[in-house]
Each structure stands twice: as C-alpha cells, then as structure tokens.
Amino acid sequence: EEEGEEEEFEEAETDAKLRRHVNLVFIGHVDAGKSTLCGHIMLLTGNVDSRTIEKFEHEAKANGRESWKYAWAMDITDNERLKGKTEECGIAVFNTENKRFTILDAPGHRNFVPHMIGGASQADVAILVISARKGEFEAGFDKNGQTREHVMLAKTVGVRQLVVVVTKMDDPFVEWKSERYDEVVSKLGPYLKQVGYGPNEVKWIPISGYQGFNIRERVPKATCPWYDGPSLLEYLDEMKPPERLMGRPVRLPIIGKYKNRGTMAMGKLESGTLKIGDKLVVMPNKQPVVVDKIYLESSSLDIAEPGDNIRVQLSGIEEEEISLGFVLCSPDSLVPIVKKFQASVNILEYKSIICAGYSCVMHIHSVVQEVTIDELIAVVDKKTKKVTQKSPKFVKPGQTVTATFIIENAVCLEAYKDFQQLGRFMLRDEGKTVAVGIVTELLVT
C-alpha cells in the first residue's frame, strides 16, 4: 500500500510540473457569493466530494443557512461559518486540462481588507464576483461598497487580468435576463476602465454559483439564449498565462513563517528559480541561508519557478529572526534597504487635505509599515504628466502628486521601473485606502 501511495505522490508531482500554474484571487463585495463559487468549483473539479458537500448541507441547514453549503468548503473557521463571512484568505487548489490553479478566497468585508491585500498581492488573475440580485450589485458598487476598493487594490498590487463573474443570475428577480446583466456591464465597465483595466484585460461571464450553471459546463441555451461565450473554467483553461521573470535574480517576499523540523518561510516566488541547496540571503538582516526543502501545496519540489506560492525550509536562520516583509534574495543581487523614497501617488479619498507631516500605513508587497510624507514636491496632471504646481502646501482627493516619504523602520523595496512587484504600494488610514502609488526613486538618508 505504501508503494502505491508513493507512486500517487510522484504522479501528483509530475502532474503539477506539466500544467502551467496560475494564482487566482476571488474579490468582490461581502455576500456577493465568492466562497459559494469557490466551493462549487472545488466540487466540479473533484477536489471536494459530494458526500462532504452533503455533510455541509446538513450542518448549514441545522444553522438555518442551507444556501451556504458550498461556501463552507472555503470558510474553515467556526466564526466564518456562523457569520457567513470570510476573514482570512482560504487557499485551495484545482486543475483544469492545461493549468493548475491556486485559489485565494479573499474576504469581502471592509474590516478584513488587509487580509484581502495579502491575497491579491499573491495573485496573477482576479475573479471579481458581482451579485446580479436586486440591491446587492448596487450595495457593492456604491461609494462605501467593497467592489470599487477591491478592483482598485487588485490593480495596485499588480493583478493584470480581471474576470468579472456576474453571479446569482438564477435569482427570481433576474431569471437569466440579459437586461440586468447589461445594466451591470454598463455601470461597472467605465469604472474598470478608469482604474486602468483595458478591454483586453477584462472578461465578463454570467453564472449561477449556487446552481453551478456556466462554471464548468456552458449554461444551456434554453436557460440563457443570449450568452455565446465560454464557461468560467473553460475560459480560465484557455487564458494566456502570465509572463514569468525566469532569468532574473531571486526575489521572494515572505508572507508567513513557522517552525517545522527547521525554519519554514512562505511566499510567492516573484522572480528567479529556486533549487534545493541554493545559497540565498534574507534581507534586510543580511542573513545567509541554505534552501533545504521546497514545498508547493502538498508536493515537494526540486525546483520552484516564478509565480509559485511555496514553502521553503531554510537552514542558517531561526524562525524568530524572520519578519513578514523580509525578502529572500540571490547573494549577488540584494534587494535595497530603504528608509526614504520618492513616489508618484494618486490620492483617492480622504476626509480633508493632506500636507507634509501626514502619517498613515503603507502596504508594499508583504510589508505593512507606518510612513510619513516628508515633502510634497509637485502636483502632476494625470493625462499630460506635466507639473501643474510646484511645492504645493497641500493635496486633495483626485490629485496626483510627487512626494518623498520616510518609513519608520527600514524596509526592502525597489523602484517600480526596476522591479514592479516591490515598487507598488497603497496607503491606508482609518480603514480606508487613501492613496495608491509607485516608487520612483530610492533616496539615501
């Protein structure tokens, strides 16, 4: 029996290598149906058996929450199940014919946006889940809804491709009518364009996450005569995979760590390849380490490639010597350690004006740090990129500004032109995203 198990493990490993790997993050307003869709995908791709879903159905029914049976495949904690809200980024894996997907099920509730940022920064493709139910799309898309903020965050952390899934099309108010679908497209489309998603970077697909229509099999023509496109899994399988930075030095921002027969570090390999026995350096504390083992989901790997969400067993460092936001690097190309930088920043929303001396929280790759605006250098016209005002006394929402920032503790980051993933950031204050920006220059303090 053990021999059979070993063969199965090897088969899973070669299988993992043959399929192209893509990281998906499901984003959207609270209760849009993200976890239900993820759970149904897991069932349709054979990763959760129908008996488990039946068990969830009984449990959910006992709690008066029958329609949450699929969501429970993703929402693991009792707290999430009782409230029906995802709090952390659940991770699950499924395969299609040509690709292997890692699902990061991001929370939609406003209080959990920092978790959502963590999920989105790991992702190649965002699936924006929009509810077609009367009032639900509107609640998500209004000024305080999460739909706008999630789209903005996904764009800021570098998610290039967006699949907009309009779910709950089976709702009695909607009944698969094209009018409601077209209304969602006409209202949401211009906003996606404004954020920076071009028409070639967005795909629209109507589905029912609960009934499973148009997830794996195309929706029957009798139900939806007006939609001719592919099903969700069909589209994901055929989609052009993201470009990978194979030939670059190693960059792996650490998003998690724990002890298990050695020090384990987790994160997405942004560039370069990793092999067992590689000598690397953990920055910013310049600690030399050796890669002892590499794990991708449940398989162990000899080599990891860019885009892989991996766990790496390291020797030469203790778990307590690593902090989130540290970066694993090639020894001959260390990531810069920075306390001051210049950036181009779009101010999104703030209750008043912003002046030099303003402090807030910066999220850049897996770093969360307090920053202060040191100097406002210029206001720049968004379209022409020309300076419209030098040394402004203050800036307000809607403006783009060049400014210098001072970080409380030195962190690893790079100029956006040198390495996009380590040069994009967002600023948050009082639970809101105040601004998004890119690092233009690293300054010596």
Side-chain angles (χ1 to χ4, degrees):
E1 197 181 340
E2 271 177 27
E3 218 171 272
E5 265 178 36
E6 228 164 83
E7 270 172 35
E8 210 172 283
F9 189 73
E10 274 170 32
E11 201 176 290
E13 213 172 314
T14 37
D15 211 29
K17 281 176 189 159
L18 290 173
R19 288 187 167 98
R20 292 297 299 269
H21 182 216
V22 179
N23 298 306
L24 293 179
V25 66
F26 282 69
I27 61 174
H29 192 62
V30 62
D31 293 339
K34 298 184 292 295
S35 296
T36 294
L37 173 56
C38 293
H40 215 137
I41 288 174
M42 298 310 284
L43 175 70
L44 293 173
T45 52
N47 290 287
V48 177
D49 58 31
S50 49
R51 273 188 317 207
T52 308
I53 294 286
E54 273 170 34
K55 177 175 163 277
F56 288 156
E57 187 172 16
H58 288 306
E59 288 175 16
K61 227 180 201 169
N63 282 298
R65 303 280 192 247
E66 196 180 337
S67 67
W68 291 357
K69 60 180 179 181
Y70 296 111
W72 280 18
M74 293 300 287
D75 294 343
I76 297 144
T77 69
D78 288 344
N79 196 24
E80 287 176 332
R81 289 182 170 184
L82 284 171
K83 290 185 185 166
K85 287 181 175 55
T86 308
E87 294 182 8
E88 293 187 34
C89 279
I91 289 205
V93 180
F94 70 92
N95 292 333
T96 56
E97 201 176 329
N98 301 307
K99 294 197 181 80
R100 190 166 49 87
F101 292 94
T102 303
I103 294 185
L104 308 152
D105 176 29
H109 196 273
R110 174 175 285 286
N111 300 349
F112 305 117
V113 165
H115 288 303
M116 184 262 151
I117 295 169
S121 66
Q122 303 291 293
D124 302 305
V125 178
I127 304 225
L128 173 61
V129 182
I130 297 290
S131 167
R133 188 175 285 162
K134 192 177 175 71
E136 286 191 2
F137 162 65
E138 287 75 9
F141 191 55
D142 80 4
K143 197 165 182 293
N144 295 314
Q146 299 310 137
T147 304
R148 289 170 187 264
E149 185 170 30
H150 277 199
V151 171
M152 174 66 78
L153 296 180
K155 186 67 186 168
T156 308
V157 298
V159 179
R160 289 202 191 100
Q161 285 167 297
L162 193 65
V163 181
V164 185
V165 166
V166 181
T167 187
K168 306 191 188 180
M169 289 295 293
D170 55 324
D171 184 77
F173 162 74
V174 183
E175 289 181 328
W176 288 93
K177 290 193 192 81
S178 63
E179 287 84 353
R180 178 60 167 165
Y181 176 79
D182 293 341
E183 183 188 356
V184 170
V185 173
S186 67
K187 286 183 178 170
L188 185 57
Y191 178 72
L192 301 183
K193 193 178 171 191
Q194 186 190 327
V195 169
Y197 282 108
N200 299 335
E201 297 169 316
V202 181
K203 176 72 182 170
W204 300 81
I205 300 177
I207 66 155
S208 162
Y210 187 68
Q211 288 186 332
F213 283 0
N214 221 22
I215 296 178
R216 188 176 67 180
E217 305 297 332
R218 291 189 179 193
V219 59
K221 276 282 172 225
T223 307
C224 179
W226 49 268
Y227 179 74
D228 291 319
S231 70
L232 176 60
L233 292 183
E234 211 180 317
Y235 176 73
L236 290 174
D237 188 54
E238 290 163 3
M239 194 174 59
K240 189 171 169 251
E243 285 173 38
R244 302 293 191 205
L245 305 172
M246 300 287 278
R248 302 274 299 267
V250 168
R251 291 283 183 270
L252 188 147
I254 295 170
I255 62 157
K257 47 144 195 184
Y258 61 97
K259 255 195 171 94
N260 182 15
R261 297 181 193 159
T263 302
M264 303 294 287
M266 297 151 64
K268 177 183 173 188
L269 183 58
E270 294 288 4
S271 67
T273 51
L274 265 193
K275 297 186 291 299
I276 290 173
D278 275 358
K279 292 182 170 66
L280 300 173
V281 175
V282 175
M283 293 293 281
N285 53 2
K286 300 181 179 166
Q287 184 96 2
V289 292
V290 176
V291 176
D292 291 339
K293 283 185 179 158
I294 304 168
Y295 297 97
L296 181 70
E297 287 112 38
S298 54
S299 323
S300 64
L301 299 180
D302 297 327
I303 184 164
E305 295 181 350
D308 288 345
N309 275 313
I310 53 175
R311 295 173 317 210
V312 189
Q313 189 176 315
L314 302 170
S315 53
I317 195 165
E318 293 300 319
E319 182 242 355
E320 49 273 14
E321 293 175 276
I322 297 176
S323 291
L324 305 195
F326 281 18
V327 180
L328 270 174
C329 311
S330 304
D332 54 354
S333 171
L334 300 178
V335 63
I337 309 167
V338 177
K339 274 202 88 160
K340 189 176 181 183
F341 64 91
Q342 188 171 307
S344 171
V345 180
N346 293 333
I347 312 291
L348 304 175
E349 61 168 322
Y350 192 60
K351 57 192 179 213
S352 65
I353 56 174
I354 291 175
C355 311
Y358 168 72
S359 293
C360 58
V361 174
M362 173 177 76
H363 290 257
I364 184 162
H365 62 91
S366 50
V367 170
V368 181
Q369 270 281 2
E370 184 153 324
V371 293
T372 303
I373 295 180
D374 185 47
E375 184 190 352
L376 295 172
I377 296 168
V379 175
V380 179
D381 184 284
K382 275 184 192 167
K383 291 196 174 105
T384 63
K385 306 283 184 245
K386 286 183 177 159
V387 172
T388 56
Q389 186 186 358
K390 286 186 177 174
S391 305
K393 291 271 186 293
F394 61 86
V395 286
K396 52 186 195 286
Q399 291 186 315
T400 298
V401 62
T402 304
T404 57
F405 291 83
I406 292 176
I407 313 169
E408 198 176 11
N409 302 306
V411 298
C412 301
L413 53 88
E414 302 207 29
Y416 181 79
K417 63 178 180 354
D418 298 330
F419 200 93
Q420 292 184 7
Q421 289 83 342
L422 301 187
R424 276 186 290 254
F425 64 90
M426 65 196 75
L427 303 175
R428 287 180 57 80
D429 192 6
E430 295 178 1
K432 287 191 169 141
T433 304
V434 175
V436 295
I438 58 172
V439 176
T440 51
E441 199 182 327
L442 310 180
L443 303 171
V444 181
T445 45

